[in-house]
Amino acid sequence: KNQVEQSPQSLIILEGKNCTLQCNYTVSPFSNLRWYKQDTGRGPVSLTIMTFSENTKSNGRYTATLDADTKQSSLHITASQLSDSASYICVVSAGGAQKLVFGQGTRLTINP
Amino acid sequence: NAGVMQNPRHLVRRRGQEARLRCSPMKGHSHVYWYRQLPEEGLKFMVYLQKENIIDESGMPKERFSAEFPKEGPSILRIQQVVRGDSAAYFCASSGQGSTDTQYFGPGTRLTVL
Protein backbone atom coordinates (compact mmCIF):
# COMPACT_ATOMS: atom_id res chain seq x y z
CA LYS A 1 0.00 0.00 0.00
CA ASN A 2 1.36 3.43 -0.96
CA GLN A 3 1.94 5.48 2.17
CA VAL A 4 3.72 8.63 3.25
CA GLU A 5 4.45 9.13 6.93
CA GLN A 6 5.73 12.35 8.42
CA SER A 7 7.30 13.14 11.76
CA PRO A 8 6.95 14.83 14.07
CA GLN A 9 3.19 15.48 13.93
CA SER A 10 3.75 18.88 15.45
CA LEU A 11 6.73 20.99 16.39
CA ILE A 12 7.18 24.24 18.29
CA ILE A 13 10.42 26.21 18.06
CA LEU A 14 11.60 29.73 18.79
CA GLU A 15 12.02 32.29 16.07
CA GLY A 16 15.51 32.20 14.57
CA LYS A 17 16.10 28.52 15.33
CA ASN A 18 16.55 25.77 12.74
CA CYS A 19 14.45 22.65 12.42
CA THR A 20 14.21 19.47 10.35
CA LEU A 21 11.05 17.67 9.33
CA GLN A 22 11.07 14.03 8.28
CA CYS A 23 9.22 12.06 5.63
CA ASN A 24 9.28 8.30 5.06
CA TYR A 25 7.49 6.77 2.12
CA THR A 26 6.55 3.43 0.67
CA VAL A 27 5.36 4.45 -2.77
CA SER A 28 5.92 2.49 -5.95
CA PRO A 29 6.66 3.32 -8.62
CA PHE A 30 8.43 6.48 -7.50
CA SER A 31 8.24 9.49 -9.79
CA ASN A 32 9.08 12.49 -7.61
CA LEU A 33 8.78 13.90 -4.12
CA ARG A 34 7.49 17.35 -3.25
CA TRP A 35 7.25 19.42 -0.12
CA TYR A 36 4.32 21.78 0.23
CA LYS A 37 3.60 24.51 2.76
CA GLN A 38 -0.01 24.94 3.80
CA ASP A 39 -1.01 27.98 5.81
CA THR A 40 -4.15 27.67 7.93
CA GLY A 41 -7.23 28.04 5.76
CA ARG A 42 -5.27 28.12 2.51
CA GLY A 43 -4.29 25.69 -0.20
CA PRO A 44 -0.85 24.03 -0.27
CA VAL A 45 1.98 25.87 -2.00
CA SER A 46 4.87 23.99 -3.56
CA LEU A 47 8.30 24.50 -1.97
CA THR A 48 10.49 21.92 -3.70
CA ILE A 49 10.26 19.00 -6.09
CA MET A 50 12.89 16.27 -6.43
CA THR A 51 13.19 13.37 -8.81
CA PHE A 52 14.92 10.07 -8.21
CA SER A 53 18.36 11.33 -9.17
CA GLU A 54 18.33 14.45 -7.00
CA ASN A 55 19.70 14.36 -3.46
CA THR A 56 19.11 17.90 -2.37
CA LYS A 57 17.25 21.00 -3.46
CA SER A 58 17.07 24.42 -1.89
CA ASN A 59 14.51 27.19 -2.01
CA GLY A 60 15.70 30.11 0.07
CA ARG A 61 15.79 29.04 3.71
CA TYR A 62 14.23 25.68 2.84
CA THR A 63 16.47 22.73 1.93
CA ALA A 64 15.03 19.35 1.04
CA THR A 65 17.00 16.12 0.87
CA LEU A 66 16.09 12.80 -0.66
CA ASP A 67 17.54 9.35 -0.06
CA ALA A 68 15.87 7.11 -2.62
CA ASP A 69 17.57 4.00 -1.22
CA THR A 70 16.10 4.35 2.26
CA LYS A 71 12.98 6.14 0.94
CA GLN A 72 13.42 9.07 3.25
CA SER A 73 13.27 12.80 2.76
CA SER A 74 13.81 15.72 5.07
CA LEU A 75 12.97 19.41 4.96
CA HIS A 76 15.38 21.68 6.80
CA ILE A 77 14.35 25.21 7.67
CA THR A 78 17.07 27.62 8.72
CA ALA A 79 16.71 30.83 10.72
CA SER A 80 12.97 30.30 11.19
CA GLN A 81 10.57 33.23 10.94
CA LEU A 82 7.10 33.71 12.38
CA SER A 83 5.68 33.37 8.86
CA ASP A 84 7.04 29.82 8.69
CA SER A 85 4.24 28.73 11.03
CA ALA A 86 2.21 26.36 8.85
CA SER A 87 1.72 22.70 8.00
CA TYR A 88 4.42 21.14 5.86
CA ILE A 89 3.26 18.32 3.67
CA CYS A 90 5.39 15.66 1.99
CA VAL A 91 3.86 14.41 -1.25
CA VAL A 92 5.14 11.49 -3.31
CA SER A 93 4.09 10.87 -6.90
CA ALA A 94 3.49 7.24 -7.82
CA GLY A 95 3.81 7.94 -11.52
CA GLY A 96 1.72 10.69 -12.99
CA ALA A 97 0.34 13.81 -11.43
CA GLN A 98 -2.92 12.10 -10.52
CA LYS A 99 -1.17 9.55 -8.35
CA LEU A 100 0.00 11.84 -5.59
CA VAL A 101 0.19 10.35 -2.12
CA PHE A 102 0.03 12.94 0.65
CA GLY A 103 1.47 12.73 4.10
CA GLN A 104 -0.57 14.01 7.03
CA GLY A 105 1.77 16.93 7.47
CA THR A 106 3.85 18.38 10.29
CA ARG A 107 2.29 21.32 12.06
CA LEU A 108 5.11 23.82 12.73
CA THR A 109 4.66 26.72 15.13
CA ILE A 110 7.25 29.44 15.43
CA ASN A 111 7.10 31.39 18.68
CA PRO A 112 8.64 34.83 19.15
CA ASN B 1 -2.13 35.90 -13.93
CA ALA B 2 -4.71 34.83 -11.38
CA GLY B 3 -4.10 31.63 -9.50
CA VAL B 4 -6.52 28.77 -9.07
CA MET B 5 -9.86 30.11 -7.92
CA GLN B 6 -12.46 28.25 -5.97
CA ASN B 7 -15.90 29.30 -4.88
CA PRO B 8 -17.59 29.45 -2.63
CA ARG B 9 -14.93 29.54 0.08
CA HIS B 10 -17.43 28.37 2.66
CA LEU B 11 -20.59 26.38 2.04
CA VAL B 12 -23.16 25.25 4.56
CA ARG B 13 -25.74 22.64 3.62
CA ARG B 14 -28.32 20.63 5.50
CA ARG B 15 -28.37 16.87 5.21
CA GLY B 16 -29.98 15.77 1.96
CA GLN B 17 -29.22 18.95 0.04
CA GLU B 18 -26.87 19.26 -2.91
CA ALA B 19 -23.47 20.94 -2.82
CA ARG B 20 -21.80 22.40 -5.91
CA LEU B 21 -18.17 23.41 -5.69
CA ARG B 22 -16.53 25.36 -8.49
CA CYS B 23 -12.92 25.56 -9.58
CA SER B 24 -11.35 27.81 -12.21
CA PRO B 25 -7.83 26.62 -13.09
CA MET B 26 -4.90 28.90 -13.70
CA LYS B 27 -4.89 30.50 -17.12
CA GLY B 28 -3.46 28.11 -19.67
CA HIS B 29 -3.93 25.03 -17.48
CA SER B 30 -6.06 22.22 -18.84
CA HIS B 31 -5.59 19.64 -16.07
CA VAL B 32 -7.72 19.81 -12.93
CA TYR B 33 -7.57 17.70 -9.78
CA TRP B 34 -9.93 17.55 -6.81
CA TYR B 35 -8.85 16.57 -3.31
CA ARG B 36 -10.66 16.19 -0.02
CA GLN B 37 -9.12 16.98 3.35
CA LEU B 38 -10.91 15.72 6.42
CA PRO B 39 -10.11 17.38 9.76
CA GLU B 40 -6.68 16.36 11.07
CA GLU B 41 -6.00 14.26 7.96
CA GLY B 42 -3.92 14.63 4.80
CA LEU B 43 -5.32 15.46 1.40
CA LYS B 44 -6.86 12.54 -0.48
CA PHE B 45 -7.05 12.41 -4.26
CA MET B 46 -10.57 12.27 -5.65
CA VAL B 47 -10.58 12.87 -9.39
CA TYR B 48 -8.42 14.07 -12.27
CA LEU B 49 -10.00 15.76 -15.28
CA GLN B 50 -8.97 17.35 -18.52
CA LYS B 51 -11.31 19.43 -20.62
CA GLU B 52 -14.49 17.38 -21.19
CA ASN B 53 -12.82 14.18 -19.97
CA ILE B 54 -12.53 12.34 -16.68
CA ILE B 55 -9.06 10.80 -16.68
CA ASP B 56 -9.04 9.13 -13.28
CA GLU B 57 -11.86 9.02 -10.74
CA SER B 58 -10.45 6.25 -8.60
CA GLY B 59 -10.67 8.38 -5.47
CA MET B 60 -14.29 9.36 -5.87
CA PRO B 61 -16.96 7.73 -3.71
CA LYS B 62 -19.11 5.49 -5.87
CA GLU B 63 -22.36 7.26 -5.06
CA ARG B 64 -23.52 10.86 -4.75
CA PHE B 65 -20.27 12.41 -6.03
CA SER B 66 -19.64 13.54 -9.58
CA ALA B 67 -17.26 15.91 -11.33
CA GLU B 68 -17.06 17.62 -14.67
CA PHE B 69 -14.78 20.00 -16.52
CA PRO B 70 -16.71 21.38 -19.48
CA LYS B 71 -15.20 22.92 -22.56
CA GLU B 72 -16.22 26.34 -21.29
CA GLY B 73 -16.42 27.36 -17.68
CA PRO B 74 -15.10 26.06 -14.40
CA SER B 75 -14.78 22.51 -13.16
CA ILE B 76 -17.65 21.46 -10.89
CA LEU B 77 -17.59 18.96 -8.05
CA ARG B 78 -21.13 17.97 -7.21
CA ILE B 79 -22.23 16.18 -4.07
CA GLN B 80 -25.83 15.04 -3.96
CA GLN B 81 -27.80 14.31 -0.80
CA VAL B 82 -24.99 15.44 1.47
CA VAL B 83 -24.37 13.73 4.81
CA ARG B 84 -22.46 14.95 7.85
CA GLY B 85 -19.44 12.86 6.85
CA ASP B 86 -19.06 14.99 3.72
CA SER B 87 -18.00 17.92 5.88
CA ALA B 88 -14.43 18.65 4.83
CA ALA B 89 -12.21 21.04 2.92
CA TYR B 90 -12.26 20.39 -0.82
CA PHE B 91 -9.23 21.58 -2.75
CA CYS B 92 -8.85 21.96 -6.45
CA ALA B 93 -5.46 22.03 -8.18
CA SER B 94 -4.45 22.62 -11.77
CA SER B 95 -1.41 21.92 -13.87
CA GLY B 96 -0.30 22.76 -17.36
CA GLN B 97 1.00 19.51 -18.71
CA GLY B 98 -0.05 16.86 -16.25
CA SER B 99 2.40 14.07 -15.51
CA THR B 100 5.27 15.58 -13.49
CA ASP B 101 4.12 19.16 -13.79
CA THR B 102 3.65 21.02 -10.52
CA GLN B 103 0.09 21.33 -9.31
CA TYR B 104 -1.08 24.71 -8.11
CA PHE B 105 -3.74 24.61 -5.45
CA GLY B 106 -6.72 26.82 -4.90
CA PRO B 107 -7.72 28.16 -1.46
CA GLY B 108 -10.28 25.40 -0.95
CA THR B 109 -13.99 25.24 -0.19
CA ARG B 110 -14.96 24.39 3.35
CA LEU B 111 -18.17 22.40 3.32
CA THR B 112 -20.15 22.07 6.52
CA VAL B 113 -23.14 19.77 6.61
CA LEU B 114 -25.58 20.44 9.41
Side-chain angles (χ1 to χ4, degrees):
Chain A
K1 182 182 177 183
N2 287 336
Q3 277 188 309
V4 175
E5 294 187 358
Q6 293 186 240
S7 61
Q9 275 192 317
S10 62
L11 181 62
I12 302 174
I13 63 172
L14 292 175
E15 185 180 11
K17 297 297 185 183
N18 303 335
C19 66
T20 300
L21 314 180
Q22 301 291 343
C23 172
N24 296 334
Y25 62 92
T26 54
V27 176
S28 183
F30 175 87
S31 178
N32 56 66
L33 184 147
R34 310 157 193 252
W35 283 92
Y36 280 88
K37 178 186 179 187
Q38 185 177 18
D39 292 309
T40 300
R42 311 290 282 275
V45 175
S46 179
L47 294 175
T48 64
I49 177 172
M50 288 182 292
T51 58
F52 185 87
S53 59
E54 295 177 293
N55 301 117
T56 184
K57 184 159 287 187
S58 292
N59 177 2
R61 294 179 296 103
Y62 301 104
T63 299
T65 65
L66 173 64
D67 186 333
D69 292 330
T70 61
K71 298 187 177 181
Q72 295 180 324
S73 175
S74 66
L75 180 69
H76 187 72
I77 305 174
T78 58
S80 60
Q81 300 176 358
L82 296 178
S83 60
D84 292 332
S85 293
S87 287
Y88 290 83
I89 305 171
C90 176
V91 185
V92 180
S93 175
Q98 70 271 34
K99 300 297 185 184
L100 298 186
V101 183
F102 288 75
Q104 286 187 286
T106 292
R107 179 72 208 169
L108 176 64
T109 302
I110 311 296
N111 285 336
Chain B
N1 186 12
V4 178
M5 300 177 69
Q6 290 186 249
N7 66 81
R9 294 293 309 276
H10 300 273
L11 182 61
V12 179
R13 285 288 178 265
R14 296 191 180 280
R15 281 179 296 172
Q17 291 184 320
E18 178 179 287
R20 279 186 179 236
L21 287 62
R22 287 176 289 276
C23 169
S24 297
M26 284 183 71
K27 188 176 180 180
H29 284 187
S30 59
H31 301 254
V32 167
Y33 316 81
W34 285 94
Y35 297 89
R36 177 164 61 177
Q37 186 174 34
L38 295 171
E40 307 303 321
E41 293 189 15
L43 279 79
K44 295 287 195 302
F45 167 78
M46 297 182 76
V47 62
Y48 165 37
L49 310 104
Q50 294 183 27
K51 285 284 187 182
E52 300 183 279
N53 287 306
I54 296 175
I55 307 302
D56 183 345
E57 56 181 349
S58 58
M60 288 275 273
K62 293 288 185 278
E63 298 176 347
R64 303 187 297 109
F65 285 72
S66 62
E68 62 176 9
F69 189 15
K71 187 176 181 180
E72 301 291 338
S75 175
I76 306 287
L77 178 67
R78 182 180 176 206
I79 311 172
Q80 296 178 291
Q81 299 175 316
V82 295
V83 301
R84 288 220 174 101
D86 296 333
S87 295
Y90 291 84
F91 290 96
C92 166
S94 73
S95 67
Q97 302 296 328
S99 188
T100 60
D101 204 32
T102 295
Q103 294 183 20
Y104 295 86
F105 284 80
T109 293
R110 272 143 193 86
L111 172 66
T112 301
V113 179
L114 301 178

